[in-house]
Amino acid sequence: MNISQASEATGLPAKTIRYYEEIGLIRPDRRANGYRDFADTEVHKLRFLARARALGFGSNDCRSLLALWGDRARASADVRRIAHAHLAEIEAKITDLTAMRDSLSHLVVTCAGDDRPDCPILKTLSSSD
């Protein structure tokens, strides 16, 4: 199948598919005319990558997960280690976002939001602390 068909089958934009090829995550065959020819295995890899990216895995983790998927002698502990590390990153981001939300929420509540120029939000943003 060509790149348009692969895009439709996977829900990935053609630009993303080209990028995945550029960084070596997939290697579609080439037809005599130079066009990409996606076999079922490459389409399956693209779906795999789409799901992994939807979970927030980065390119390097995707590369590792694809390699492990293709290795029938793999240890599931290796897969779990990658997923566990990613989960820890997500939890750290959630903690950071929660702190940001709480700080901003406090600032919004303390701002009168009226016609006066005094604004605790701007005062906090401009402080040198």
Side-chain angles (χ1 to χ4, degrees):
M1 80 178 53
N2 64 32
I3 195 165
S4 296
Q5 293 165 322
S7 175
E8 187 175 320
T10 61
L12 292 170
K15 184 176 182 177
T16 300
I17 294 171
R18 286 187 204 96
Y19 173 72
Y20 288 163
E21 180 184 12
E22 181 182 318
I23 65 172
L25 290 176
I26 58 164
R27 289 189 175 83
D29 292 331
R30 293 285 180 158
R31 296 180 185 163
N33 61 7
Y35 291 143
R36 293 167 184 86
D37 188 19
F38 292 87
D40 289 342
T41 55
E42 293 301 314
V43 172
H44 183 78
K45 286 180 183 179
L46 287 169
R47 287 185 183 122
F48 181 102
L49 290 167
R51 288 189 292 269
R53 294 293 292 146
L55 290 172
F57 285 103
S59 297
N60 288 334
D61 284 341
C62 285
R63 185 180 316 283
S64 298
L65 291 168
L66 266 177
L68 288 165
W69 172 71
D71 179 5
R72 297 296 175 202
R74 71 183 170 263
S76 65
D78 294 334
V79 179
R80 187 176 192 273
R81 178 182 44 76
I82 293 168
H84 189 267
H86 183 56
L87 181 60
E89 290 172 9
I90 290 171
E91 288 172 346
K93 287 179 185 178
I94 289 170
T95 299
D96 290 345
L97 287 170
T98 300
M100 281 192 289
R101 181 200 61 208
D102 293 347
S103 294
L104 187 55
S105 179
H106 172 74
L107 290 172
V108 168
V109 167
T110 59
C111 181
D114 55 19
D115 292 334
R116 292 179 295 168
D118 184 47
C119 178
I121 298 170
L122 293 176
K123 184 177 180 181
T124 299
L125 293 176
S126 65
S127 71
S128 59
D129 295 350

